Amino acid sequence: MADLRHYRYFVEIAQRGSFTAASASLHVTQSALSEQILLLERQLGCRLFDRGRHGARLTSHGEALFDQAMLLLSVANDLEQSARSLQRRQSRPLRIGATMGPLLIWLPEALSRLSQGNQRLDVRIEDITTAEIFLRISIGQLDLGIASVGDSGLSVGSGSGVETHRLFEDDWVIMVPAGHPFAEDVAVPLSALRDEQLILFPKYSALRMVLDELFTRSGVSLTPAIETGWLEMAVRFVEVGMGVAVVPRAVTLLPYRDVRVVEIDEAHVPRRVLTALYRSDTPRRGTIEKLLSLARDHMPSDDTWPALSGSAFTPLHTSSDDGSTRR
């Protein structure tokens, strides 16, 4: 059966007007080109060219075939371009944008497991705001966004083309230095923090707005001593005695020693929600959904939080399937 190459040779000869010119253009010897055209003519059961001193002219059968051959080659070219475009999109790095507050200690292991099914997995992770995550997901500059928001969730309008998925939820706790007066308490009200040096998230960040509302309900006016979006840095500031912090409970999974964690004694403490966002039409959807499925296997849950009650918090270890331990 004739293949695409035969029709490409046929069109080249018809456009060049001779076997000699076509063989030079195609970088094929003239004898090999003639042999392939003879094979095509045998397959089709008709003569396609009149050969002579004038070169090669299409016969009536050749003229009838020419337009169809051009259409075939055009479709084949479109298919090749589409395949190459898809390959380029799939081979580029997986672009992830995350707010500084989510505490992504589960992400490396999830990405490691995902890479086991991929010959090569390139990843680019940026620390950006929740608003910028939504914008860049919307316009296709990011493949996956991970945002830490209040329990009201992230407002995404219908028809936006962006899907949101809750990964996990937790509440808030108070972190104090080991020698702090609150260090042995089980729980304290937020009003007790009125005169404390507060370490808080940056103003107008999603988590800071949740805390502002929480403190306002408790009658406390916030005047932070330090603002940072880096949870690890906030814990370190507490550890060296520069203040106290109100942080998501997931922070208790970090490996710090000279810090005490106590509960918030309030009637209603809002939840912190870790949310994933991606475009529904992204070509990386399969990869993203597999990553999120793997991520959920490593998310903290209510029975994995370290016991607090004024104790120092230490790294959390759980048993893996093979009996070993992992943080």
Side-chain angles (χ1 to χ4, degrees), residues 257-293:
R257 299 288 180 176
D258 299 326
V259 171
R260 300 295 186 268
V261 181
V262 296
E263 301 285 354
I264 298 175
D265 185 10
E266 298 289 340
H268 172 70
V269 178
R271 305 284 286 179
R272 187 278 297 246
V273 183
L274 194 67
T275 304
L277 307 89
Y278 58 89
R279 284 194 60 86
S280 56
D281 59 355
T282 175
R284 310 300 293 273
R285 179 167 184 153
T287 299
I288 290 169
E289 291 183 344
K290 185 175 181 180
L291 173 62
L292 295 180
S293 177

Side-chain angles (χ1 to χ4, degrees), residues 19 99 116 158 169 179 189 192 216 263 295 300:
F19 279 74
T99 57
Q116 294 172 11
S158 60
E169 300 181 18
T216 298
E263 301 285 354

Side-chain angles (χ1 to χ4, degrees), residues 73-93:
L73 294 178
S74 177
V75 171
N77 181 68
D78 289 345
L79 288 173
E80 287 181 8
Q81 293 299 322
S82 296
R84 288 173 181 169
S85 176
L86 179 60
Q87 183 179 25
R88 284 195 298 270
R89 291 198 299 270
Q90 292 181 335
S91 62
R92 63 167 170 73

Side-chain angles (χ1 to χ4, degrees), residues 133-205:
I133 287 175
F134 179 74
L135 173 62
R136 293 178 61 183
I137 287 289
S138 298
I139 62 179
Q141 288 186 352
L142 289 175
D143 300 306
L144 173 64
I146 301 173
S148 194
V149 299
D151 55 7
S152 58
L154 189 64
S155 177
V156 179
S158 60
S160 66
V162 176
E163 295 192 18
T164 63
H165 295 268
R166 291 192 175 200
L167 297 178
F168 83 93
E169 300 181 18
D170 60 352
D171 56 3
W172 300 77
V173 293
I174 301 170
M175 297 173 46
V176 300
H180 194 277
F182 297 154
E184 302 303 322
D185 292 334
V186 174
V188 297
L190 291 178
S191 60
L193 305 183
R194 183 175 285 106
D195 298 323
E196 296 291 332
Q197 293 277 97
L198 294 177
I199 302 165
L200 298 173
F201 299 102
K203 195 170 183 60
Y204 303 120
S205 66

